[in-house]
């Protein structure tokens, strides 16, 4: 479903570990609605994790790939309450696999002229390129905050970090991102 917008799925404050555990258990038993609820709750998070590492054009497809793989491998999840961390790891691995696959064809694709991006798309791509150049610990929190507009508390909960750590990562990451973008405009 390329080009379609994601719903506003995000782990919310009422999303408890017990709630996630119940949804995972039901999904394991074949309840499609339960897996749909997991998708609604975690798709925005997975989108942000992927966006921190992958070109924007591929992200929507990769979100679908991650959830399809999660559905097939749900039986391998040992601790249902750890679904958020598990699906984030799957997203990171999917991003790495995509990076490896596209790295081999990069030279050919650079030779083919494509349509010029719109000015807003160029700015977003420039920011995302700068974000991807940052140290890994800053990428995901920044993508979740800047692109997915998640709060610091939501980011902390979904990444399994303390709120203070997220604030520090966001502060330093923003500073480094500004430096990167400043150098790109000099």
């Amino acid at each position: 479903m390329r080009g379609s917008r994601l719903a506003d799925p995000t782990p919310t404050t009422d999303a408890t570990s017990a709630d996630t555990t119940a949804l995972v258990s039901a999904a394991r038993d074949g309840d499609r609605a339960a897996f749909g609820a997991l998708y609604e709750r975690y798709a925005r998070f997975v989108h942000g994790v992927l966006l921190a590492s992958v070109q924007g054009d591929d992200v929507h497809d990769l979100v679908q790939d991650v959830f399809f793989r999660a559905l097939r491998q749900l039986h391998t999840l040992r601790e249902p309450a750890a679904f958020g961390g598990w699906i984030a790891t799957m997203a990171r691995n999917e991003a790495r696999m995509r990076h490896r696959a596209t790295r081999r064809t990069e030279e050919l694709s650079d030779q083919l002229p494509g349509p010029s991006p719109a000015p807003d798309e160029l700015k977003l791509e420039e920011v995302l390129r700068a974000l991807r150049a940052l140290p890994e610990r800053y990428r995901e929190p920044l993508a979740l905050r800047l692109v997915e507009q998640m709060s610091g508390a939501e980011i902390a909960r979904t990444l399994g970090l303390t709120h203070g750590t997220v604030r520090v990562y966001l502060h330093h990451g923003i500073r480094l991102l500004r430096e990167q973008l400043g150098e790109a405009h000099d």
Side-chain angles (χ1 to χ4, degrees):
M1 293 168 83
R2 184 170 282 221
S4 66
R5 274 207 53 93
L6 292 172
D8 189 22
T10 184
T12 58
T13 54
D14 63 347
T16 64
S17 177
D19 199 23
T20 298
T21 300
L23 288 171
V24 169
S25 296
R28 280 181 172 168
D29 292 337
D31 184 345
R32 290 179 185 256
F35 192 79
L38 288 169
Y39 175 87
E40 289 297 317
R41 184 172 290 168
Y42 288 95
R44 199 171 105 204
F45 170 59
V46 169
H47 185 263
V49 168
L50 290 167
L51 201 55
S53 302
V54 177
Q55 293 292 339
D57 295 346
D58 297 332
V59 172
H60 289 292
D61 290 340
L62 285 177
V63 169
Q64 300 302 317
D65 293 347
V66 167
F67 276 94
F68 182 67
R69 198 165 127 228
L71 179 62
R72 288 191 334 246
Q73 296 182 0
L74 197 55
H75 68 280
T76 66
L77 176 60
R78 292 184 194 150
E79 183 58 49
F83 182 82
W86 180 73
I87 196 128
T89 299
M90 291 180 89
R92 289 179 195 112
N93 289 340
E94 197 71 33
R96 285 183 193 107
M97 288 189 303
R98 177 61 58 104
H99 178 70
R100 286 183 194 134
T102 57
R103 190 172 38 178
R104 292 183 207 127
T105 60
E106 196 171 314
E107 288 182 60
L108 290 177
S109 64
D110 284 347
Q111 294 173 3
L112 301 173
S116 299
D120 288 343
E121 290 177 28
L122 184 62
K123 291 176 189 172
L124 178 60
E125 267 311 307
E126 187 178 330
V127 170
L128 290 173
R129 196 176 5 251
L131 183 129
R132 290 181 194 114
L134 297 178
E136 189 171 344
R137 70 177 163 266
Y138 303 129
R139 283 186 224 147
E140 286 176 14
L142 279 173
L144 293 172
R145 178 72 181 128
L146 299 175
V147 179
E148 301 302 330
Q149 298 178 348
M150 293 174 76
S151 71
E154 288 174 314
I155 295 168
R157 190 175 47 258
T158 55
L159 291 179
L161 300 170
T162 66
H163 189 248
T165 299
V166 169
R167 287 178 56 175
V168 168
Y169 285 178
L170 290 174
H171 174 77
H172 290 296
I174 290 289
R175 181 181 49 78
L176 291 172
L177 188 60
R178 284 184 178 144
E179 289 173 10
Q180 286 270 353
L181 293 172
E183 290 173 8
H185 289 98
D186 290 344

